[in-house]
Amino acid sequence: MRWFYNTMASVSPGLCSENALSTTQKAEEDGDTESTSSSFSSSDYNYDLEPEWLDDIQKNGELFYLELSEGEEEAALARVAASQCLSTNHVRFSEKEAEVITEQASTQRRGSRRKGEPALKKLARILGRKRRPSQRKGGKDGSRGKATSSPPASILKTQPGQQQGVTVQRRRLKEVCVYLNPKRLASSPTPLCERGGLLEALLGLVHRPAWTGGQKDRGAVLQDGRLTVHGLIPNSPAIKCGQILIGDVLLAVDDVDVSYENIERVLSCIPGPTQVTLTLETAAPADSAAPSDSSPVQKTKASPPVSQLVRLLWGEDTAELQMAIGHIPHIVMYLSLKLDSTSLQEEEEILYQYPVSEASSQLKGVRGIFLTLCDMLENVTGGHIISSSLLLGKHLVHVGYWKEHNNLLVVGLPAERVPLLSLQTVVGDVVRTLKVMYGSLNSAFCKADHALRLDHFFCLFFQQLIQPWRLRKGSPPPPDVSGSLFLDGLPAVRWLTLPPEIKMEVDTVLSDFESSDFGEMSEDFFGLRRLYVILGSCLFYKSYLIANHLPKENLLDVCLYCQHFCLLPLASEQRVGQLVIWREVFPQQRASGETAPGFSQPQGRHFLLIVGLRHFMQCVLLEAGGCASPALGSPGPDCVYVDQVKATLLQLNALEAAMEERLNVPSAPCLSCADWFLPAATTRDRLDSLASSSPVLSKLAGAIRGSPSGHRGRSLFGEKSRKSSPQRSLSDSGSEGPMDAGSGSSAAPGLSPHSTPDSGRWIGGRRDSLGSDGSGGSAGLFKMPRMKHPNPFYLGTLKKTLTARETEETYNTIKLTSGTENTLFHYVLMETVQGIFIAPTHREVAQLSGSIHPQLIRNFHHCCLSIRAAFQQSLPARGCRAADRSQRSGWGLGPVKEHGVLFQCKPENWTDQRKPAPTMTYWVIGRMLLEPVPQEFYVCFHDSVPEVPVEMAFRLSFGLGL
Amino acid sequence: MLQDGSTQLLCLTASSGVPLFTRGASKQLPFSVIGSLNGVHMFGGGQGALLSSCETEGGGKVVWKVFHDSVMLIAVSGGGSSGACSGAEMSRLQRLLENVWSCMVLVLGQDELVNLRNIERLKRDLRSCFCLIDQLLEEKHQGVLGNLTHCADSLVPPNPTPLQEALDGFAQAADSEFGCLFVHGRIVVATEKWWRLAPQEVVLLCALVRTLSASGSASCDYPVFLPQGSPTVAHRLLHFQLLPGADVCVLCGPTPSLQKAETELVGRLWSPLIETLRSCLAVGERCLPGSVPLRPDVLALLLINRETRRSVSCVQISSHHPLSDSSLSKSRCWELLELFYIFSISRYFTQDETLCGSPEESTQSSHTEDFLHGFSHQPQQCYLVTEDCKCYGFQTQQHQFFLLMLPSVPTFALRTVATQTLTDIISATAF
């Protein structure tokens, strides 16, 4: 692209004049906008004429702008080329959100901002408005291109032969998908004034009108107006797709007839990055003209190159995805409990419903059940209904309920995707997301103009739950459904620990931004009241949270939003060229009014700004009102704030290498692959090959060769496992006297991974066996080591004194389990206070590969669902204390502190008939701690580990600079 | 409104929704509620959406089930009783409904229940099931887990051989192949054919014998239908009380008469064994002979033999235990054991299917265990650490074993204690 701009710098008059005009108009508008919003700085727009996302702002101020990165586009193009795609013809120009904008809307928007501006600008705007209608209409699917001079019919209906006469028999049509990004043009420093116009700039097709009919008859050429390809621009979409040949004639863009006269207009209608289908007439090679080719248009369906998720986020194509799950019963309904029996209107109690499919209509038909149950059961059992199960044919469907005032939200989901255990979490999360976005369920569902957006919202919701593999490329079924259920259901965000210097740098950059000291860009500079107060921000890198300056509840709100729109996986695969999201949000903590005494929450409005650049994504929570100026109407994103976030992200880009390094380093606890523990011959080979490449693994391989039996005699709780290694006996003796100096000294180095936790374990064991008190066992265990070295969670000061090298060494050497082998397979640690959790990075897991290991992780997550459910259900019981519990007849198992399950796995496809398949057993253990910090641990390790999991948990949390 | 922890059972005709009876809970639900509960299920059934269960905040549950398109049973639980295991509570209620249906068949026969010719008469007849149904609903029937496990609660006598011989002789003399000896409501010995009855039938017969024995009569002749073996043809259950707490019964045809069996057979065949029976009674609720050592920190245990479908359970509370804070009462231990069993079964371990009801009903019940099918690997063992106790459960090819221990037992020792206890029991009793 760059090359193209540079080479085409030679300016020629003609078509470019309109472009130049339009860009200046836009710039003026921007200037206008900014001046009313009081923070405009002219210097900002010296070269960058307008932000690409400006057109996508909706009339309510919301913005969802997503642009793919170049790498992603190229990948898409490569796929087009590979599949020889004569692809689908239903690609739309605009995303749904942009579609909402009509001419009226945009003028309204501008109108609302316009107050007493110079007459010249008015004129410019009038011109602009004149031009815009065609643009907007072009953006709409149905009426696309109607504004062009000659009403274009669909290419499919038009017989090209009518125009072409006799040549039609020798020529045939082909369709080519290309990915276009008009925003790229806007960001290019070179103004777009070449004579090729958009055809060259956007598509990369060179068309020289003069050449077509020969120089002699120029008038005929213009009449003809056929767009013959005379050349292709290097690195352009046209040449990358590899199917457009010189000599082809461009007939249509997305089924809109194009000619020399209207091509620029049609192309200028493309508002944002999208995929378009070009219809070209090509000279059929003489030898390949088979009889079957006589039909003018050959169409084959191929998979659309841009991933389904992105298309979904753009608002395209939901029908196809929705069709694929049409037979699976699922529904969301918002029902009114106030029934007006006098009204004759049918279905008036349905305030909102999605989707409309056969299976869901069956659920809709029985909504009477839901209403009746909700109404009645409260009187029977004394609590709101939360779930019910229905059998629809062969499908078991769980229905979750959420009652708000006089309305009832009903969510029906297939049981094979969402087990009953996690239904409540899923429903709770979607309700909270809606509340964050709209304030309350009522305001979300009861406004008519929200319907389209809610359709989109729930389409995403169901797609993610029912067929997540369609959204994410490279994750074929069977998907880790319970994994995403578990991890998304945790009230926490995935955290990536960083080396302290990097962490500090990141924090500094974020703090600088949050101080709102924008220099000459700030409102202060102009002596104005601030537009927004930055409440805080958090930063994601490749879907991991790396810094958070938001209170926990706000963080969870933001994270729920990101999760719902799949922004995190998006960023992790470098799909994001640029992402700008702006919307008003209603933070739930503020809504619920939980504040400290003596502090009253300022009555402000809150806005969420998310900006993503490549792998980074920053979410900023802004407050208007309070100490900033109150927000009126529905303000759109402010360019200054967006640009400041972008600047922050660009600044952080310098740290990308360090973060990549961090991601590449196997982090705190080393992991093992489950396959290594199954003594199959193939596994051994693989291990050897692995070992040759990695010294760490070679040690491990040696250990395995030394003990080839798959099922070792040692066991977690077994007596045999108590045989002490030298290390252990050392530390044991150290800890014989409780908390004596000996154990203290052995623990003092603090980072020696072998001795200290063992002492912790021992004392923990002693404590436990003494049974001093109900919860004392775990608490005591944690108190003891904390006296020796600072708590890992408050390690800040200590860690800063360490050099990077040392820290890295700790990372490398910390091994969760003791003994010669590393037997930890997977872990999740959740820190409830800060609302974060850590787990092995995706890359770490991918490195382990193996065939059993993914199964094991799926199983781990599934089991964690159960464990966490046990924890959750015992929480209310914890509320009321023993005294008043014992009076009641029964109160369940009581508060669960720890829960473990032992699994056995066998290799699949065991063919050897003579020997029984080798087995491997492993534990999945969850533990909930309330002191000193509320935490939940979930670990998965091989059966041969002779330790209590709390020790692992201890080591796990150690070395984390949270 | 239902009280916390109480369960109410509603029985209606499936087609017309006429209430047949309600049991459980001191205060009956208002008729309108019963009508709506039945109505929503019927409405859903008409629309092709079969309502099976419902859950409310605070753990309240409703479970519906229709048997043979004729009788609808609804269980409503008031909640509050299941802090840690709502899914478990659900499967408990489902099992309860199955048992109640089988009870009704046992007493009345399937024909009368399916054909529903005279509803008023059926209502009257159903009263004879009430004591049995009440026993199933009663939460405090300590020490009997058969209703849940569908495995016969057994008592392992110190010296089974003479008892077995006497029972075989007695059954033969009574012209029957099905005979069984109970002590404290648990099976001590039974004839070989008795064990071939469906496990659910064995469990229900045990329950029936318990009610008969509680009624105090020394002997009775009771017609029973076997829900699976012969749901339409009644057999005679002859029941004799040998000693208080020790009962013997046989399933037989038209002969012999109760009179004859009581006067001629019982005295002759059982009086020589009075001392042996007394020693059985002495085993008491421990269910295991004194020769089996149990660690003092074991609170309760449940051992199921998956092949013979028998189970042994016991609770040992040593009040003077130095480390126990004596906060756990005996009934609480039973409750915990029961809860832990349901918890493990509903989430991890397979419950061996007992083939009750029609095949489509069993597929329906397997739907509720969908969570179990989500595991890609087979769960083998599990443990729970709660504030009150530590629980350990595991299953092998032949056994399922559930153990409740004092919280003072270190967690890492749980597995050893559990395996050791199992080995001790098996080696001592060959259970």
Side-chain angles (χ1 to χ4, degrees):
Chain A
M1 281 292 197
R2 297 272 175 239
W3 179 88
F4 158 70
Y5 293 129
N6 294 337
T7 52
M8 298 307 283
S10 59
V11 178
S12 65
L15 288 166
C16 60
S17 58
E18 189 190 333
N19 281 315
L21 179 61
S22 71
T23 43
T24 43
Q25 282 164 12
K26 285 180 185 171
E28 277 160 1
E29 283 164 31
D30 294 335
D32 182 31
T33 311
E34 294 313 313
S35 59
T36 50
S37 63
S38 83
S39 61
F40 173 68
S41 151
S42 60
S43 65
D44 193 27
Y45 291 95
N46 276 344
Y47 59 93
D48 198 359
L49 294 169
E50 70 165 12
E52 305 81 45
W53 39 264
L54 204 63
D55 286 342
D56 289 351
I57 303 173
Q58 299 179 47
K59 61 181 167 186
N60 60 359
E62 283 171 19
L63 170 69
F64 192 105
Y65 175 81
L66 172 64
E67 184 187 322
L68 292 190
S69 64
E70 288 182 46
E72 190 63 30
E73 289 164 24
E74 274 155 27
L77 287 166
R79 254 171 286 136
V80 180
S83 61
Q84 290 296 307
C85 168
L86 305 177
S87 178
T88 55
N89 59 352
H90 48 247
V91 178
R92 292 172 201 165
F93 277 115
S94 66
E95 56 182 286
K96 174 189 277 168
E97 316 245 347
E99 267 177 29
V100 178
I101 317 170
T102 55
E103 175 204 353
Q104 201 186 357
S106 52
T107 45
Q108 266 177 9
R109 192 179 80 235
R110 272 173 282 140
S112 66
R113 286 176 190 161
R114 195 187 322 146
K115 269 169 211 161
E117 74 259 46
L120 190 68
K121 282 186 180 174
K122 233 181 220 165
L123 181 68
R125 187 159 304 99
I126 290 165
L127 286 171
R129 227 182 301 162
K130 259 189 173 172
R131 199 179 56 80
R132 279 186 182 232
S134 66
Q135 222 178 16
R136 286 305 159 207
K137 279 189 182 161
K140 293 185 106 178
D141 191 33
S143 58
R144 180 188 308 144
K146 282 220 174 108
T148 51
S149 54
S150 59
S154 166
I155 184 67
L156 299 177
K157 290 171 201 147
T158 323
Q159 270 296 336
Q162 287 165 356
Q163 289 173 8
Q164 296 316 114
V166 284
T167 58
V168 74
Q169 294 308 322
R170 291 189 295 102
R171 301 175 84 86
R172 58 189 194 111
L173 302 185
K174 67 179 172 190
E175 293 194 356
V176 177
C177 292
V178 290
Y179 178 88
L180 303 181
N181 186 356
K183 304 294 154 86
R184 191 78 39 74
L185 303 178
S187 60
S188 90
T190 331
L192 240 185
C193 299
E194 306 83 8
R195 62 184 224 185
L198 284 171
L199 186 62
E200 282 184 16
L202 200 58
L203 271 173
L205 295 179
V206 180
H207 171 70
R208 295 285 174 269
W211 297 356
T212 312
Q215 277 92 344
K216 48 192 173 185
D217 190 0
R218 200 177 158 83
V221 171
L222 289 175
Q223 271 174 3
D224 179 19
R226 281 165 61 80
L227 287 163
T228 311
V229 177
H230 292 127
L232 298 166
I233 308 288
N235 284 327
S236 67
I239 202 164
K240 278 185 200 159
C241 81
Q243 292 183 69
I244 300 176
L245 307 172
I246 292 178
D248 290 352
V249 179
L250 179 63
L251 294 178
V253 177
D254 267 358
D255 292 349
V256 175
D257 274 349
V258 291
S259 64
Y260 183 75
E261 285 85 22
N262 71 355
I263 180 67
E264 290 301 312
R265 293 184 101 136
V266 170
L267 288 179
S268 69
C269 290
I270 299 174
T274 187
Q275 179 192 327
V276 298
T277 312
L278 306 179
T279 310
L280 295 138
E281 192 183 79
T282 186
D287 50 338
S288 73
S292 63
D293 280 351
S294 56
S295 77
V297 178
Q298 263 201 337
K299 276 177 154 287
T300 51
K301 285 266 177 191
S303 64
V306 176
S307 85
Q308 292 282 14
L309 173 60
V310 176
R311 295 168 71 97
L312 198 55
L313 287 177
W314 277 345
E316 298 172 354
D317 238 6
T318 55
E320 188 201 337
L321 283 169
Q322 214 37 66
M323 288 264 281
I325 57 169
H327 63 286
I328 300 174
H330 61 280
I331 198 169
V332 57
M333 284 187 288
Y334 196 59
L335 304 170
S336 164
L337 289 170
K338 264 192 189 164
L339 287 185
D340 187 7
S341 54
T342 57
S343 167
L344 294 172
Q345 220 178 338
E346 266 185 51
E347 300 189 350
E348 56 149 357
E349 73 269 25
I350 303 180
L351 300 174
Y352 175 78
Q353 178 214 342
Y354 183 86
V356 185
S357 68
E358 199 179 323
S360 70
S361 70
Q362 208 175 0
L363 279 168
K364 182 181 138 193
V366 296
R367 62 189 178 278
I369 294 183
F370 311 138
L371 290 169
T372 314
L373 285 177
C374 173
D375 199 40
M376 173 184 61
L377 282 185
E378 204 171 336
N379 302 323
V380 178
T381 60
H384 292 304
I385 184 166
I386 49 179
S387 72
S388 59
S389 310
L390 298 160
L391 205 60
L392 279 174
K394 275 179 283 177
H395 291 281
L396 183 69
V397 179
H398 295 312
V399 179
Y401 299 78
W402 192 279
K403 194 180 169 191
E404 195 174 279
H405 305 302
N406 279 318
N407 298 320
L408 177 71
L409 178 72
V410 176
V411 182
L413 288 164
E416 67 255 36
R417 290 279 175 266
V418 183
L420 199 54
L421 284 177
S422 44
L423 179 71
Q424 231 184 316
T425 321
V426 168
V427 174
D429 278 354
V430 77
V431 167
R432 182 162 176 183
T433 315
L434 280 171
K435 283 185 173 173
V436 168
M437 289 171 68
Y438 297 104
S440 70
L441 290 187
N442 273 338
S443 58
F445 286 107
C446 296
K447 281 189 190 148
D449 59 333
H450 284 173
L452 260 183
R453 267 175 254 162
L454 286 173
D455 283 355
H456 187 234
F457 180 90
F458 283 109
C459 181
L460 265 171
F461 173 68
F462 286 124
Q463 292 294 336
Q464 280 188 79
L465 281 177
I466 296 174
Q467 47 174 7
W469 57 90
R470 288 286 299 267
L471 297 184
R472 282 158 215 187
K473 46 181 184 182
S475 68
D480 190 0
V481 177
S482 29
S484 53
L485 274 178
F486 173 64
L487 294 178
D488 290 352
L490 287 177
V493 193
R494 196 174 197 139
W495 175 264
L496 182 72
T497 50
L498 291 176
E501 316 77 27
I502 301 179
K503 179 84 177 72
M504 204 170 68
E505 229 170 300
V506 170
D507 280 334
T508 316
V509 172
L510 276 196
S511 302
D512 280 351
F513 163 76
E514 281 155 8
S515 67
S516 314
D517 188 12
F518 300 158
E520 63 173 9
M521 307 287 285
S522 71
E523 296 91 337
D524 292 344
F525 188 75
F526 296 97
L528 292 164
R529 194 173 173 189
R530 259 201 190 142
L531 276 183
Y532 303 105
V533 172
I534 298 177
L535 291 180
S537 65
C538 59
L539 183 70
F540 292 92
Y541 177 74
K542 282 195 176 180
S543 87
Y544 303 100
L545 182 69
I546 52 173
N548 172 38
H549 294 178
L550 284 169
K552 179 202 169 191
E553 291 303 315
N554 290 346
L555 173 70
L556 293 185
D557 289 343
V558 168
C559 176
L560 274 176
Y561 180 86
C562 295
Q563 251 168 25
H564 189 93
F565 287 92
C566 300
L567 299 179
L568 298 180
L570 205 65
S572 71
E573 290 162 42
Q574 173 143 23
R575 290 183 176 174
V576 179
Q578 185 183 351
L579 172 76
V580 183
I581 294 173
W582 171 271
R583 67 170 300 127
E584 179 160 15
V585 291
F586 304 85
Q588 288 307 291
Q589 188 188 22
R590 285 156 198 276
S592 64
E594 282 173 28
T595 49
F599 172 73
S600 65
Q601 205 61 248
Q603 292 298 310
R605 290 170 64 185
H606 298 89
F607 295 88
L608 174 65
L609 171 65
I610 301 179
V611 177
L613 276 181
R614 311 203 318 128
H615 292 312
F616 284 98
M617 193 170 91
Q618 188 176 357
C619 308
V620 187
L621 195 63
L622 302 162
E623 185 182 70
C627 27
S629 62
L632 298 173
S634 37
D638 189 293
C639 291
V640 172
Y641 283 84
V642 175
D643 286 338
Q644 289 299 329
V645 181
K646 266 189 205 164
T648 313
L649 291 181
L650 287 172
Q651 205 179 340
L652 287 166
N653 250 342
L655 295 171
E656 187 168 356
M659 299 196 193
E660 275 305 305
E661 197 184 337
R662 160 67 186 88
L663 277 176
N664 285 328
V665 172
S667 67
C670 296
L671 296 179
S672 282
C673 177
D675 297 59
W676 300 341
F677 289 84
L678 278 170
T682 49
T683 318
R684 191 80 51 79
D685 294 342
R686 204 179 322 145
L687 204 59
D688 285 341
S689 66
L690 264 172
S692 59
S693 61
S694 147
V696 180
L697 293 181
S698 69
K699 236 188 267 173
L700 191 101
I704 287 186
R705 253 183 251 111
S707 54
S709 76
H711 195 81
R712 259 152 287 231
R714 295 191 291 150
S715 56
L716 170 59
F717 301 120
E719 296 287 359
K720 284 182 220 159
S721 67
R722 316 303 319 282
K723 65 179 177 192
S724 49
S725 65
Q727 287 164 340
R728 188 165 308 138
S729 58
L730 237 175
S731 62
D732 284 354
S733 64
S735 61
E736 279 308 328
M739 307 193 186
D740 62 356
S743 100
S745 67
S746 80
L751 297 172
S752 142
H754 291 279
S755 57
T756 45
D758 277 333
S759 67
R761 177 179 75 84
W762 259 96
I763 288 183
R766 287 292 152 78
R767 280 294 182 85
D768 247 353
S769 65
L770 286 173
S772 49
D773 65 76
S775 61
S778 56
L781 174 61
F782 267 72
K783 264 175 222 144
M784 201 289 301
R786 209 145 62 92
M787 289 198 283
K788 308 303 174 206
H789 22 250
N791 182 285
F793 290 98
Y794 307 109
L795 202 59
T797 50
L798 179 83
K799 291 208 99 182
K800 274 175 197 149
T801 63
L802 296 172
T803 67
R805 197 65 238 162
E806 278 168 334
T807 319
E808 215 174 285
E809 273 166 15
T810 9
Y811 279 146
N812 287 336
T813 50
I814 284 181
K815 186 157 65 89
L816 274 190
T817 52
S818 65
T820 48
E821 296 165 50
N822 181 23
T823 53
L824 181 78
F825 295 138
H826 209 76
Y827 62 88
V828 170
L829 156 63
M830 181 174 78
E831 219 268 61
T832 331
V833 174
Q834 302 190 52
I836 55 174
F837 74 87
I838 60 160
T841 60
H842 301 298
R843 196 172 301 180
E844 261 178 279
V845 174
Q847 274 167 0
L848 293 172
S849 66
S851 62
I852 308 252
H853 200 68
Q855 267 182 29
L856 177 134
I857 290 177
R858 222 176 311 141
N859 207 39
F860 167 75
H861 284 140
H862 193 69
C863 189
C864 286
L865 277 179
S866 162
I867 297 174
R868 184 160 158 77
F871 291 157
Q872 288 302 105
Q873 279 163 348
S874 65
L875 276 180
R878 214 180 286 275
C880 49
R881 295 270 32 114
D884 92 277
R885 267 189 323 213
S886 55
Q887 289 163 3
R888 293 161 58 181
S889 54
W891 31 278
L893 280 166
V896 177
K897 294 193 293 185
E898 183 172 334
H899 179 27
V901 184
L902 181 78
F903 289 94
Q904 185 181 56
C905 77
K906 292 175 183 158
E908 284 174 339
N909 312 323
W910 184 256
T911 48
D912 196 343
Q913 296 293 331
R914 287 161 295 161
K915 279 185 281 182
T919 56
M920 194 264 293
T921 48
Y922 60 92
W923 282 100
V924 176
I925 293 180
R927 179 156 203 168
M928 181 159 70
L929 299 170
L930 296 174
E931 292 164 0
V933 256
Q935 285 175 328
E936 287 175 30
F937 300 101
Y938 302 89
V939 283
C940 176
F941 54 87
H942 190 253
D943 191 20
S944 65
V945 182
E947 292 133 319
V948 273
V950 69
E951 176 209 347
M952 308 218 308
F954 168 71
R955 285 205 216 173
L956 190 59
S957 54
F958 193 77
L960 288 179
L962 292 184
Chain B
M1 202 171 102
L2 277 186
Q3 285 173 326
D4 275 4
S6 67
T7 304
Q8 188 156 91
L9 183 79
L10 314 172
C11 177
L12 309 100
T13 60
S15 50
S16 52
V18 177
L20 294 173
F21 66 85
T22 48
R23 301 304 294 171
S26 49
K27 206 176 132 199
Q28 196 181 322
L29 286 170
F31 183 75
S32 62
V33 169
I34 299 178
S36 330
L37 282 175
N38 179 52
V40 286
H41 188 275
M42 262 198 331
F43 172 66
Q47 306 271 330
L50 215 58
L51 193 57
S52 68
S53 61
C54 229
E55 188 180 349
T56 66
E57 259 170 12
K61 311 244 172 358
V62 186
V63 176
W64 288 263
K65 196 152 187 179
V66 176
F67 294 89
H68 291 270
D69 289 328
S70 70
V71 172
M72 149 117 69
L73 289 173
I74 305 173
V76 185
S77 134
S81 68
S82 55
C85 37
S86 75
E89 173 75 358
M90 207 76 99
S91 47
R92 188 184 75 82
L93 291 177
Q94 259 150 3
R95 184 126 292 199
L96 173 74
L97 292 188
E98 283 169 25
N99 287 337
V100 168
W101 166 253
S102 301
C103 266
M104 291 158 65
V105 174
L106 186 83
V107 176
L108 296 178
Q110 194 170 299
D111 279 346
E112 193 175 348
L113 292 168
V114 172
N115 294 328
L116 289 180
R117 272 183 296 269
N118 185 340
I119 290 181
E120 286 309 313
R121 204 184 117 200
L122 180 62
K123 274 192 194 173
R124 242 188 349 264
D125 290 347
L126 278 170
R127 285 189 198 147
S128 49
C129 314
F130 284 176
C131 57
L132 207 49
I133 291 172
D134 287 348
Q135 200 202 347
L136 292 176
L137 278 173
E138 178 63 54
E139 305 259 333
K140 302 288 169 291
H141 49 86
Q142 287 178 10
V144 179
L145 299 167
N147 303 334
L148 277 177
T149 59
H150 278 185
C151 294
D153 291 287
S154 308
L155 183 143
V156 182
N159 186 11
T161 326
L163 292 171
Q164 183 73 49
E165 283 168 359
L167 181 71
D168 287 345
F170 178 70
Q172 207 172 7
D175 210 7
S176 161
E177 287 174 313
F178 303 91
C180 185
L181 175 69
F182 297 87
V183 166
H184 294 304
R186 297 178 171 90
I187 295 179
V188 180
V189 287
T191 58
E192 194 201 333
K193 274 283 174 70
W194 182 277
W195 289 123
R196 297 217 192 135
L197 295 171
Q200 195 195 9
E201 291 169 348
V202 173
V203 167
L204 287 173
L205 286 172
C206 288
L208 181 62
V209 167
R210 273 197 298 277
T211 54
L212 292 176
S213 140
S215 69
S217 64
S219 66
C220 70
D221 182 350
Y222 201 94
V224 291
F225 298 83
L226 297 177
Q228 275 148 60
S230 72
T232 52
V233 179
H235 293 254
R236 292 169 66 215
L237 180 75
L238 300 185
H239 162 255
F240 308 96
Q241 190 166 57
L242 303 176
L243 288 169
D247 305 86
V248 69
C249 68
V250 286
L251 275 178
C252 58
T255 55
S257 70
L258 179 69
Q259 183 79 30
K260 185 180 170 220
E262 189 173 14
T263 49
E264 293 180 12
L265 303 177
V266 174
R268 177 163 61 89
L269 290 167
W270 287 105
S271 45
L273 289 162
I274 289 299
E275 280 316 305
T276 327
L277 284 174
R278 281 191 207 284
S279 71
C280 281
L281 282 168
V283 170
E285 286 210 331
R286 194 173 182 241
C287 293
L288 293 167
S291 60
V292 179
L294 280 185
R295 292 172 58 104
D297 40 17
V298 170
L299 286 172
L301 66 87
L302 165 65
L303 171 62
I304 291 172
N305 187 320
R306 300 171 72 183
E307 284 167 8
T308 62
R309 308 288 301 170
R310 297 171 67 189
S311 72
V312 169
S313 53
C314 79
V315 163
Q316 64 164 10
I317 291 283
S318 41
S319 52
H320 48 79
H321 195 279
L323 287 178
S324 76
D325 47 359
S326 71
S327 67
L328 288 177
S329 65
K330 201 167 187 174
S331 61
R332 175 68 182 146
C333 280
W334 279 114
E335 189 192 350
L336 283 173
L337 185 63
E338 195 174 306
L339 285 168
F340 179 60
Y341 171 77
I342 312 174
F343 177 84
S344 323
I345 286 294
S346 60
R347 294 196 182 179
Y348 306 118
F349 302 149
T350 48
Q351 183 158 31
D352 303 294
E353 261 319 306
T354 50
L355 291 170
C356 61
S358 53
E360 81 266 17
E361 275 162 10
S362 59
T363 54
Q364 189 183 333
S365 69
S366 71
H367 266 299
T368 59
E369 286 155 17
D370 54 344
F371 188 78
L372 200 70
H373 303 304
F375 287 114
S376 48
H377 296 150
Q378 180 67 39
Q380 303 278 308
Q381 317 190 350
C382 72
Y383 71 90
L384 263 180
V385 178
T386 72
E387 259 178 24
D388 302 317
C389 65
K390 297 189 175 180
C391 317
Y392 201 93
F394 65 88
Q395 70 176 356
T396 62
Q397 207 63 34
Q398 209 188 351
H399 293 101
Q400 280 178 338
F401 188 54
F402 303 90
L403 194 65
L404 231 64
M405 281 169 276
L406 283 175
S408 56
V409 178
T411 306
F412 57 79
L414 292 179
R415 186 183 191 169
T416 326
V417 172
T419 42
Q420 193 60 48
T421 310
L422 178 64
T423 325
D424 287 351
I425 295 175
I426 292 174
S427 61
T429 64
F431 185 76

